[in-house]
Amino acid sequence: MQLSLFLKLAVVSIAISLLVFAFSPSAGLLSLAKYIALGIGISIIITLLYPSFRGVQKGDKVIVVSNSAIPSLFGRVGMAMNCGKLQGEVRIKLDDGREIVGVIDSYSGLLSLPKVRVVYEERIIE
């Protein structure tokens, strides 16, 4: 879920733009608009590139699907137990206690969690 990252970066970039505008004696309103546009543009670029550098970290929430063709809205939510990159294996612990080994199909989007395709599922027999 990258929306919170984008919002934080946008707020920081607007604050920096306002500070530069306040302390620059020759800056006009057009300069302020350019500073804000530059900051928002940098925020968008960082938000788009961040997931590919970060990957999936231990403790991240992910969507678990059995088939990669299924939309990620219909998956189960789990928590990553180790780190992984795209097309790498990662262990997932589901809310009911079961563990799954899966392959990372996609990183998180602006409003979606990373999608993991199930390779192996452990079932607890009591």
PDB file of all heavy atoms in Angstrom, residues 6-46:
ATOM      1  N   PHE A   6       3.273   7.912  -0.610  1.00  0.00           N
ATOM      2  CA  PHE A   6       3.118   9.053  -1.500  1.00  0.00           C
ATOM      3  C   PHE A   6       2.646  10.285  -0.743  1.00  0.00           C
ATOM      4  O   PHE A   6       3.169  11.389  -0.948  1.00  0.00           O
ATOM      5  CB  PHE A   6       2.138   8.725  -2.633  1.00  0.00           C
ATOM      6  CG  PHE A   6       1.793   9.928  -3.460  1.00  0.00           C
ATOM      7  CD1 PHE A   6       2.727  10.472  -4.328  1.00  0.00           C
ATOM      8  CD2 PHE A   6       0.563  10.539  -3.334  1.00  0.00           C
ATOM      9  CE1 PHE A   6       2.425  11.600  -5.079  1.00  0.00           C
ATOM     10  CE2 PHE A   6       0.245  11.656  -4.077  1.00  0.00           C
ATOM     11  CZ  PHE A   6       1.183  12.193  -4.947  1.00  0.00           C
ATOM     12  N   LEU A   7       1.669  10.118   0.131  1.00  0.00           N
ATOM     13  CA  LEU A   7       1.147  11.266   0.882  1.00  0.00           C
ATOM     14  C   LEU A   7       2.214  11.876   1.787  1.00  0.00           C
ATOM     15  O   LEU A   7       2.331  13.104   1.886  1.00  0.00           O
ATOM     16  CB  LEU A   7      -0.085  10.860   1.678  1.00  0.00           C
ATOM     17  CG  LEU A   7      -1.323  10.515   0.844  1.00  0.00           C
ATOM     18  CD1 LEU A   7      -2.448  10.024   1.736  1.00  0.00           C
ATOM     19  CD2 LEU A   7      -1.760  11.699   0.020  1.00  0.00           C
ATOM     20  N   LYS A   8       3.002  11.039   2.438  1.00  0.00           N
ATOM     21  CA  LYS A   8       4.076  11.552   3.299  1.00  0.00           C
ATOM     22  C   LYS A   8       5.113  12.315   2.486  1.00  0.00           C
ATOM     23  O   LYS A   8       5.544  13.408   2.871  1.00  0.00           O
ATOM     24  CB  LYS A   8       4.747  10.403   4.052  1.00  0.00           C
ATOM     25  CG  LYS A   8       3.895   9.791   5.124  1.00  0.00           C
ATOM     26  CD  LYS A   8       4.579   8.588   5.734  1.00  0.00           C
ATOM     27  CE  LYS A   8       3.647   7.826   6.657  1.00  0.00           C
ATOM     28  NZ  LYS A   8       4.254   6.597   7.155  1.00  0.00           N
ATOM     29  N   LEU A   9       5.520  11.742   1.355  1.00  0.00           N
ATOM     30  CA  LEU A   9       6.506  12.413   0.505  1.00  0.00           C
ATOM     31  C   LEU A   9       5.961  13.715  -0.067  1.00  0.00           C
ATOM     32  O   LEU A   9       6.692  14.710  -0.165  1.00  0.00           O
ATOM     33  CB  LEU A   9       6.940  11.493  -0.633  1.00  0.00           C
ATOM     34  CG  LEU A   9       7.830  10.316  -0.251  1.00  0.00           C
ATOM     35  CD1 LEU A   9       8.002   9.385  -1.440  1.00  0.00           C
ATOM     36  CD2 LEU A   9       9.165  10.796   0.249  1.00  0.00           C
ATOM     37  N   ALA A  10       4.678  13.728  -0.428  1.00  0.00           N
ATOM     38  CA  ALA A  10       4.072  14.942  -0.970  1.00  0.00           C
ATOM     39  C   ALA A  10       4.025  16.045   0.085  1.00  0.00           C
ATOM     40  O   ALA A  10       4.329  17.210  -0.213  1.00  0.00           O
ATOM     41  CB  ALA A  10       2.672  14.646  -1.497  1.00  0.00           C
ATOM     42  N   VAL A  11       3.677  15.698   1.302  1.00  0.00           N
ATOM     43  CA  VAL A  11       3.633  16.696   2.377  1.00  0.00           C
ATOM     44  C   VAL A  11       5.029  17.253   2.652  1.00  0.00           C
ATOM     45  O   VAL A  11       5.210  18.460   2.802  1.00  0.00           O
ATOM     46  CB  VAL A  11       3.008  16.089   3.656  1.00  0.00           C
ATOM     47  CG1 VAL A  11       3.230  16.986   4.861  1.00  0.00           C
ATOM     48  CG2 VAL A  11       1.524  15.842   3.443  1.00  0.00           C
ATOM     49  N   VAL A  12       6.027  16.383   2.681  1.00  0.00           N
ATOM     50  CA  VAL A  12       7.406  16.840   2.911  1.00  0.00           C
ATOM     51  C   VAL A  12       7.864  17.736   1.764  1.00  0.00           C
ATOM     52  O   VAL A  12       8.485  18.786   1.992  1.00  0.00           O
ATOM     53  CB  VAL A  12       8.353  15.632   3.091  1.00  0.00           C
ATOM     54  CG1 VAL A  12       9.805  16.052   3.050  1.00  0.00           C
ATOM     55  CG2 VAL A  12       8.053  14.925   4.399  1.00  0.00           C
ATOM     56  N   SER A  13       7.547  17.357   0.526  1.00  0.00           N
ATOM     57  CA  SER A  13       7.985  18.176  -0.610  1.00  0.00           C
ATOM     58  C   SER A  13       7.284  19.530  -0.639  1.00  0.00           C
ATOM     59  O   SER A  13       7.913  20.544  -0.972  1.00  0.00           O
ATOM     60  CB  SER A  13       7.757  17.433  -1.927  1.00  0.00           C
ATOM     61  OG  SER A  13       6.378  17.292  -2.190  1.00  0.00           O
ATOM     62  N   ILE A  14       6.015  19.585  -0.261  1.00  0.00           N
ATOM     63  CA  ILE A  14       5.316  20.873  -0.189  1.00  0.00           C
ATOM     64  C   ILE A  14       5.894  21.732   0.921  1.00  0.00           C
ATOM     65  O   ILE A  14       6.084  22.952   0.749  1.00  0.00           O
ATOM     66  CB  ILE A  14       3.798  20.653  -0.015  1.00  0.00           C
ATOM     67  CG1 ILE A  14       3.212  20.079  -1.309  1.00  0.00           C
ATOM     68  CG2 ILE A  14       3.092  21.952   0.356  1.00  0.00           C
ATOM     69  CD1 ILE A  14       1.770  19.635  -1.189  1.00  0.00           C
ATOM     70  N   ALA A  15       6.220  21.120   2.054  1.00  0.00           N
ATOM     71  CA  ALA A  15       6.820  21.883   3.154  1.00  0.00           C
ATOM     72  C   ALA A  15       8.175  22.461   2.748  1.00  0.00           C
ATOM     73  O   ALA A  15       8.472  23.630   3.035  1.00  0.00           O
ATOM     74  CB  ALA A  15       6.970  20.989   4.381  1.00  0.00           C
ATOM     75  N   ILE A  16       8.989  21.663   2.074  1.00  0.00           N
ATOM     76  CA  ILE A  16      10.291  22.163   1.616  1.00  0.00           C
ATOM     77  C   ILE A  16      10.107  23.273   0.586  1.00  0.00           C
ATOM     78  O   ILE A  16      10.813  24.289   0.618  1.00  0.00           O
ATOM     79  CB  ILE A  16      11.143  21.001   1.048  1.00  0.00           C
ATOM     80  CG1 ILE A  16      11.548  20.061   2.180  1.00  0.00           C
ATOM     81  CG2 ILE A  16      12.369  21.527   0.321  1.00  0.00           C
ATOM     82  CD1 ILE A  16      12.205  18.783   1.718  1.00  0.00           C
ATOM     83  N   SER A  17       9.134  23.114  -0.311  1.00  0.00           N
ATOM     84  CA  SER A  17       8.856  24.155  -1.306  1.00  0.00           C
ATOM     85  C   SER A  17       8.451  25.463  -0.644  1.00  0.00           C
ATOM     86  O   SER A  17       8.889  26.548  -1.051  1.00  0.00           O
ATOM     87  CB  SER A  17       7.744  23.701  -2.256  1.00  0.00           C
ATOM     88  OG  SER A  17       8.121  22.556  -2.949  1.00  0.00           O
ATOM     89  N   LEU A  18       7.620  25.382   0.372  1.00  0.00           N
ATOM     90  CA  LEU A  18       7.191  26.592   1.078  1.00  0.00           C
ATOM     91  C   LEU A  18       8.347  27.244   1.834  1.00  0.00           C
ATOM     92  O   LEU A  18       8.444  28.478   1.888  1.00  0.00           O
ATOM     93  CB  LEU A  18       6.039  26.268   2.031  1.00  0.00           C
ATOM     94  CG  LEU A  18       4.707  25.934   1.357  1.00  0.00           C
ATOM     95  CD1 LEU A  18       3.704  25.426   2.376  1.00  0.00           C
ATOM     96  CD2 LEU A  18       4.167  27.128   0.601  1.00  0.00           C
ATOM     97  N   LEU A  19       9.224  26.428   2.396  1.00  0.00           N
ATOM     98  CA  LEU A  19      10.391  26.989   3.087  1.00  0.00           C
ATOM     99  C   LEU A  19      11.328  27.687   2.105  1.00  0.00           C
ATOM    100  O   LEU A  19      11.829  28.781   2.388  1.00  0.00           O
ATOM    101  CB  LEU A  19      11.145  25.891   3.835  1.00  0.00           C
ATOM    102  CG  LEU A  19      10.491  25.393   5.125  1.00  0.00           C
ATOM    103  CD1 LEU A  19      11.237  24.186   5.669  1.00  0.00           C
ATOM    104  CD2 LEU A  19      10.436  26.503   6.158  1.00  0.00           C
ATOM    105  N   VAL A  20      11.579  27.073   0.958  1.00  0.00           N
ATOM    106  CA  VAL A  20      12.432  27.707  -0.049  1.00  0.00           C
ATOM    107  C   VAL A  20      11.795  29.002  -0.538  1.00  0.00           C
ATOM    108  O   VAL A  20      12.469  30.024  -0.697  1.00  0.00           O
ATOM    109  CB  VAL A  20      12.687  26.732  -1.231  1.00  0.00           C
ATOM    110  CG1 VAL A  20      13.338  27.439  -2.400  1.00  0.00           C
ATOM    111  CG2 VAL A  20      13.547  25.567  -0.779  1.00  0.00           C
ATOM    112  N   PHE A  21      10.483  28.987  -0.739  1.00  0.00           N
ATOM    113  CA  PHE A  21       9.771  30.184  -1.178  1.00  0.00           C
ATOM    114  C   PHE A  21       9.857  31.287  -0.120  1.00  0.00           C
ATOM    115  O   PHE A  21      10.051  32.466  -0.441  1.00  0.00           O
ATOM    116  CB  PHE A  21       8.309  29.838  -1.464  1.00  0.00           C
ATOM    117  CG  PHE A  21       7.460  31.015  -1.825  1.00  0.00           C
ATOM    118  CD1 PHE A  21       7.604  31.649  -3.043  1.00  0.00           C
ATOM    119  CD2 PHE A  21       6.496  31.486  -0.938  1.00  0.00           C
ATOM    120  CE1 PHE A  21       6.814  32.736  -3.377  1.00  0.00           C
ATOM    121  CE2 PHE A  21       5.707  32.574  -1.267  1.00  0.00           C
ATOM    122  CZ  PHE A  21       5.869  33.200  -2.486  1.00  0.00           C
ATOM    123  N   ALA A  22       9.746  30.921   1.145  1.00  0.00           N
ATOM    124  CA  ALA A  22       9.765  31.921   2.220  1.00  0.00           C
ATOM    125  C   ALA A  22      11.131  32.572   2.375  1.00  0.00           C
ATOM    126  O   ALA A  22      11.221  33.762   2.672  1.00  0.00           O
ATOM    127  CB  ALA A  22       9.342  31.278   3.530  1.00  0.00           C
ATOM    128  N   PHE A  23      12.198  31.818   2.184  1.00  0.00           N
ATOM    129  CA  PHE A  23      13.539  32.352   2.414  1.00  0.00           C
ATOM    130  C   PHE A  23      14.226  32.839   1.144  1.00  0.00           C
ATOM    131  O   PHE A  23      15.357  33.295   1.204  1.00  0.00           O
ATOM    132  CB  PHE A  23      14.413  31.306   3.112  1.00  0.00           C
ATOM    133  CG  PHE A  23      13.980  31.054   4.526  1.00  0.00           C
ATOM    134  CD1 PHE A  23      13.481  29.821   4.908  1.00  0.00           C
ATOM    135  CD2 PHE A  23      14.053  32.063   5.483  1.00  0.00           C
ATOM    136  CE1 PHE A  23      13.083  29.583   6.207  1.00  0.00           C
ATOM    137  CE2 PHE A  23      13.655  31.832   6.781  1.00  0.00           C
ATOM    138  CZ  PHE A  23      13.163  30.592   7.155  1.00  0.00           C
ATOM    139  N   SER A  24      13.566  32.741   0.009  1.00  0.00           N
ATOM    140  CA  SER A  24      14.129  33.234  -1.241  1.00  0.00           C
ATOM    141  C   SER A  24      13.513  34.604  -1.550  1.00  0.00           C
ATOM    142  O   SER A  24      12.318  34.701  -1.826  1.00  0.00           O
ATOM    143  CB  SER A  24      13.820  32.255  -2.370  1.00  0.00           C
ATOM    144  OG  SER A  24      14.339  32.734  -3.575  1.00  0.00           O
ATOM    145  N   PRO A  25      14.319  35.669  -1.507  1.00  0.00           N
ATOM    146  CA  PRO A  25      13.747  37.013  -1.658  1.00  0.00           C
ATOM    147  C   PRO A  25      13.223  37.312  -3.061  1.00  0.00           C
ATOM    148  O   PRO A  25      12.319  38.128  -3.231  1.00  0.00           O
ATOM    149  CB  PRO A  25      14.913  37.939  -1.311  1.00  0.00           C
ATOM    150  CG  PRO A  25      16.135  37.133  -1.535  1.00  0.00           C
ATOM    151  CD  PRO A  25      15.757  35.709  -1.282  1.00  0.00           C
ATOM    152  N   SER A  26      13.730  36.658  -4.073  1.00  0.00           N
ATOM    153  CA  SER A  26      13.319  36.979  -5.435  1.00  0.00           C
ATOM    154  C   SER A  26      12.324  35.977  -6.015  1.00  0.00           C
ATOM    155  O   SER A  26      12.018  36.036  -7.204  1.00  0.00           O
ATOM    156  CB  SER A  26      14.548  37.057  -6.344  1.00  0.00           C
ATOM    157  OG  SER A  26      15.164  35.782  -6.392  1.00  0.00           O
ATOM    158  N   ALA A  27      11.819  35.057  -5.205  1.00  0.00           N
ATOM    159  CA  ALA A  27      10.903  34.030  -5.708  1.00  0.00           C
ATOM    160  C   ALA A  27       9.482  34.583  -5.792  1.00  0.00           C
ATOM    161  O   ALA A  27       8.996  35.237  -4.878  1.00  0.00           O
ATOM    162  CB  ALA A  27      10.933  32.812  -4.803  1.00  0.00           C
ATOM    163  N   GLY A  28       8.820  34.286  -6.908  1.00  0.00           N
ATOM    164  CA  GLY A  28       7.434  34.692  -7.084  1.00  0.00           C
ATOM    165  C   GLY A  28       6.514  33.490  -6.966  1.00  0.00           C
ATOM    166  O   GLY A  28       6.950  32.373  -6.667  1.00  0.00           O
ATOM    167  N   LEU A  29       5.233  33.712  -7.192  1.00  0.00           N
ATOM    168  CA  LEU A  29       4.265  32.625  -7.092  1.00  0.00           C
ATOM    169  C   LEU A  29       4.500  31.556  -8.170  1.00  0.00           C
ATOM    170  O   LEU A  29       4.245  30.377  -7.934  1.00  0.00           O
ATOM    171  CB  LEU A  29       2.843  33.173  -7.192  1.00  0.00           C
ATOM    172  CG  LEU A  29       2.378  33.965  -5.966  1.00  0.00           C
ATOM    173  CD1 LEU A  29       0.977  34.505  -6.192  1.00  0.00           C
ATOM    174  CD2 LEU A  29       2.426  33.112  -4.723  1.00  0.00           C
ATOM    175  N   LEU A  30       5.003  31.959  -9.333  1.00  0.00           N
ATOM    176  CA  LEU A  30       5.320  30.976 -10.369  1.00  0.00           C
ATOM    177  C   LEU A  30       6.458  30.057  -9.911  1.00  0.00           C
ATOM    178  O   LEU A  30       6.439  28.848 -10.171  1.00  0.00           O
ATOM    179  CB  LEU A  30       5.685  31.675 -11.677  1.00  0.00           C
ATOM    180  CG  LEU A  30       5.895  30.766 -12.884  1.00  0.00           C
ATOM    181  CD1 LEU A  30       4.641  29.947 -13.163  1.00  0.00           C
ATOM    182  CD2 LEU A  30       6.283  31.570 -14.099  1.00  0.00           C
ATOM    183  N   SER A  31       7.414  30.622  -9.213  1.00  0.00           N
ATOM    184  CA  SER A  31       8.509  29.796  -8.671  1.00  0.00           C
ATOM    185  C   SER A  31       7.970  28.806  -7.643  1.00  0.00           C
ATOM    186  O   SER A  31       8.381  27.642  -7.622  1.00  0.00           O
ATOM    187  CB  SER A  31       9.568  30.681  -8.019  1.00  0.00           C
ATOM    188  OG  SER A  31      10.165  31.509  -8.963  1.00  0.00           O
ATOM    189  N   LEU A  32       7.054  29.260  -6.802  1.00  0.00           N
ATOM    190  CA  LEU A  32       6.447  28.363  -5.812  1.00  0.00           C
ATOM    191  C   LEU A  32       5.726  27.213  -6.503  1.00  0.00           C
ATOM    192  O   LEU A  32       5.857  26.053  -6.090  1.00  0.00           O
ATOM    193  CB  LEU A  32       5.485  29.130  -4.905  1.00  0.00           C
ATOM    194  CG  LEU A  32       4.713  28.278  -3.891  1.00  0.00           C
ATOM    195  CD1 LEU A  32       5.667  27.607  -2.916  1.00  0.00           C
ATOM    196  CD2 LEU A  32       3.695  29.132  -3.158  1.00  0.00           C
ATOM    197  N   ALA A  33       4.971  27.525  -7.550  1.00  0.00           N
ATOM    198  CA  ALA A  33       4.253  26.480  -8.289  1.00  0.00           C
ATOM    199  C   ALA A  33       5.233  25.476  -8.902  1.00  0.00           C
ATOM    200  O   ALA A  33       4.976  24.268  -8.897  1.00  0.00           O
ATOM    201  CB  ALA A  33       3.387  27.110  -9.375  1.00  0.00           C
ATOM    202  N   LYS A  34       6.362  25.969  -9.409  1.00  0.00           N
ATOM    203  CA  LYS A  34       7.371  25.072  -9.982  1.00  0.00           C
ATOM    204  C   LYS A  34       7.999  24.195  -8.904  1.00  0.00           C
ATOM    205  O   LYS A  34       8.244  23.001  -9.127  1.00  0.00           O
ATOM    206  CB  LYS A  34       8.452  25.882 -10.699  1.00  0.00           C
ATOM    207  CG  LYS A  34       7.993  26.481 -12.003  1.00  0.00           C
ATOM    208  CD  LYS A  34       9.117  27.251 -12.669  1.00  0.00           C
ATOM    209  CE  LYS A  34       8.676  27.880 -13.973  1.00  0.00           C
ATOM    210  NZ  LYS A  34       9.763  28.611 -14.626  1.00  0.00           N
ATOM    211  N   TYR A  35       8.277  24.761  -7.729  1.00  0.00           N
ATOM    212  CA  TYR A  35       8.852  23.978  -6.629  1.00  0.00           C
ATOM    213  C   TYR A  35       7.886  22.873  -6.198  1.00  0.00           C
ATOM    214  O   TYR A  35       8.300  21.733  -5.977  1.00  0.00           O
ATOM    215  CB  TYR A  35       9.166  24.858  -5.421  1.00  0.00           C
ATOM    216  CG  TYR A  35      10.202  25.933  -5.649  1.00  0.00           C
ATOM    217  CD1 TYR A  35      10.150  27.127  -4.931  1.00  0.00           C
ATOM    218  CD2 TYR A  35      11.231  25.780  -6.564  1.00  0.00           C
ATOM    219  CE1 TYR A  35      11.089  28.126  -5.122  1.00  0.00           C
ATOM    220  CE2 TYR A  35      12.168  26.777  -6.764  1.00  0.00           C
ATOM    221  CZ  TYR A  35      12.093  27.942  -6.036  1.00  0.00           C
ATOM    222  OH  TYR A  35      13.023  28.926  -6.226  1.00  0.00           O
ATOM    223  N   ILE A  36       6.622  23.226  -6.078  1.00  0.00           N
ATOM    224  CA  ILE A  36       5.631  22.231  -5.663  1.00  0.00           C
ATOM    225  C   ILE A  36       5.487  21.152  -6.730  1.00  0.00           C
ATOM    226  O   ILE A  36       5.426  19.956  -6.416  1.00  0.00           O
ATOM    227  CB  ILE A  36       4.279  22.910  -5.346  1.00  0.00           C
ATOM    228  CG1 ILE A  36       4.417  23.744  -4.067  1.00  0.00           C
ATOM    229  CG2 ILE A  36       3.167  21.879  -5.198  1.00  0.00           C
ATOM    230  CD1 ILE A  36       3.203  24.561  -3.713  1.00  0.00           C
ATOM    231  N   ALA A  37       5.447  21.540  -8.006  1.00  0.00           N
ATOM    232  CA  ALA A  37       5.344  20.558  -9.090  1.00  0.00           C
ATOM    233  C   ALA A  37       6.552  19.625  -9.099  1.00  0.00           C
ATOM    234  O   ALA A  37       6.408  18.407  -9.290  1.00  0.00           O
ATOM    235  CB  ALA A  37       5.217  21.277 -10.432  1.00  0.00           C
ATOM    236  N   LEU A  38       7.737  20.165  -8.891  1.00  0.00           N
ATOM    237  CA  LEU A  38       8.943  19.340  -8.835  1.00  0.00           C
ATOM    238  C   LEU A  38       8.873  18.361  -7.668  1.00  0.00           C
ATOM    239  O   LEU A  38       9.183  17.169  -7.815  1.00  0.00           O
ATOM    240  CB  LEU A  38      10.190  20.220  -8.711  1.00  0.00           C
ATOM    241  CG  LEU A  38      11.517  19.480  -8.568  1.00  0.00           C
ATOM    242  CD1 LEU A  38      11.834  18.713  -9.844  1.00  0.00           C
ATOM    243  CD2 LEU A  38      12.627  20.453  -8.239  1.00  0.00           C
ATOM    244  N   GLY A  39       8.439  18.831  -6.514  1.00  0.00           N
ATOM    245  CA  GLY A  39       8.331  17.962  -5.337  1.00  0.00           C
ATOM    246  C   GLY A  39       7.319  16.850  -5.520  1.00  0.00           C
ATOM    247  O   GLY A  39       7.572  15.697  -5.160  1.00  0.00           O
ATOM    248  N   ILE A  40       6.159  17.168  -6.100  1.00  0.00           N
ATOM    249  CA  ILE A  40       5.137  16.150  -6.338  1.00  0.00           C
ATOM    250  C   ILE A  40       5.634  15.138  -7.378  1.00  0.00           C
ATOM    251  O   ILE A  40       5.417  13.929  -7.241  1.00  0.00           O
ATOM    252  CB  ILE A  40       3.809  16.799  -6.791  1.00  0.00           C
ATOM    253  CG1 ILE A  40       3.252  17.723  -5.704  1.00  0.00           C
ATOM    254  CG2 ILE A  40       2.785  15.747  -7.200  1.00  0.00           C
ATOM    255  CD1 ILE A  40       2.842  17.026  -4.436  1.00  0.00           C
ATOM    256  N   GLY A  41       6.325  15.616  -8.407  1.00  0.00           N
ATOM    257  CA  GLY A  41       6.882  14.711  -9.411  1.00  0.00           C
ATOM    258  C   GLY A  41       7.900  13.745  -8.815  1.00  0.00           C
ATOM    259  O   GLY A  41       7.878  12.546  -9.106  1.00  0.00           O
ATOM    260  N   ILE A  42       8.769  14.262  -7.968  1.00  0.00           N
ATOM    261  CA  ILE A  42       9.750  13.403  -7.296  1.00  0.00           C
ATOM    262  C   ILE A  42       9.044  12.406  -6.383  1.00  0.00           C
ATOM    263  O   ILE A  42       9.428  11.234  -6.308  1.00  0.00           O
ATOM    264  CB  ILE A  42      10.778  14.254  -6.527  1.00  0.00           C
ATOM    265  CG1 ILE A  42      11.663  15.009  -7.522  1.00  0.00           C
ATOM    266  CG2 ILE A  42      11.611  13.400  -5.593  1.00  0.00           C
ATOM    267  CD1 ILE A  42      12.576  16.034  -6.878  1.00  0.00           C
ATOM    268  N   SER A  43       7.979  12.839  -5.703  1.00  0.00           N
ATOM    269  CA  SER A  43       7.204  11.942  -4.837  1.00  0.00           C
ATOM    270  C   SER A  43       6.584  10.802  -5.631  1.00  0.00           C
ATOM    271  O   SER A  43       6.592   9.652  -5.186  1.00  0.00           O
ATOM    272  CB  SER A  43       6.100  12.721  -4.117  1.00  0.00           C
ATOM    273  OG  SER A  43       6.631  13.737  -3.322  1.00  0.00           O
ATOM    274  N   ILE A  44       6.061  11.101  -6.813  1.00  0.00           N
ATOM    275  CA  ILE A  44       5.462  10.061  -7.650  1.00  0.00           C
ATOM    276  C   ILE A  44       6.520   9.070  -8.116  1.00  0.00           C
ATOM    277  O   ILE A  44       6.312   7.850  -8.067  1.00  0.00           O
ATOM    278  CB  ILE A  44       4.737  10.695  -8.855  1.00  0.00           C
ATOM    279  CG1 ILE A  44       3.489  11.444  -8.384  1.00  0.00           C
ATOM    280  CG2 ILE A  44       4.362   9.637  -9.890  1.00  0.00           C
ATOM    281  CD1 ILE A  44       2.844  12.293  -9.455  1.00  0.00           C
ATOM    282  N   ILE A  45       7.667   9.552  -8.543  1.00  0.00           N
ATOM    283  CA  ILE A  45       8.733   8.666  -9.031  1.00  0.00           C
ATOM    284  C   ILE A  45       9.231   7.757  -7.908  1.00  0.00           C
ATOM    285  O   ILE A  45       9.404   6.549  -8.105  1.00  0.00           O
ATOM    286  CB  ILE A  45       9.882   9.493  -9.636  1.00  0.00           C
ATOM    287  CG1 ILE A  45       9.423  10.127 -10.952  1.00  0.00           C
ATOM    288  CG2 ILE A  45      11.119   8.630  -9.866  1.00  0.00           C
ATOM    289  CD1 ILE A  45      10.388  11.135 -11.529  1.00  0.00           C
ATOM    290  N   ILE A  46       9.456   8.322  -6.733  1.00  0.00           N
ATOM    291  CA  ILE A  46       9.919   7.508  -5.604  1.00  0.00           C
ATOM    292  C   ILE A  46       8.879   6.464  -5.234  1.00  0.00           C
ATOM    293  O   ILE A  46       9.211   5.298  -4.974  1.00  0.00           O
ATOM    294  CB  ILE A  46      10.271   8.402  -4.399  1.00  0.00           C
ATOM    295  CG1 ILE A  46      11.530   9.203  -4.701  1.00  0.00           C
ATOM    296  CG2 ILE A  46      10.455   7.567  -3.130  1.00  0.00           C
ATOM    297  CD1 ILE A  46      11.883  10.234  -3.654  1.00  0.00           C
TER     298      ILE A  46
END
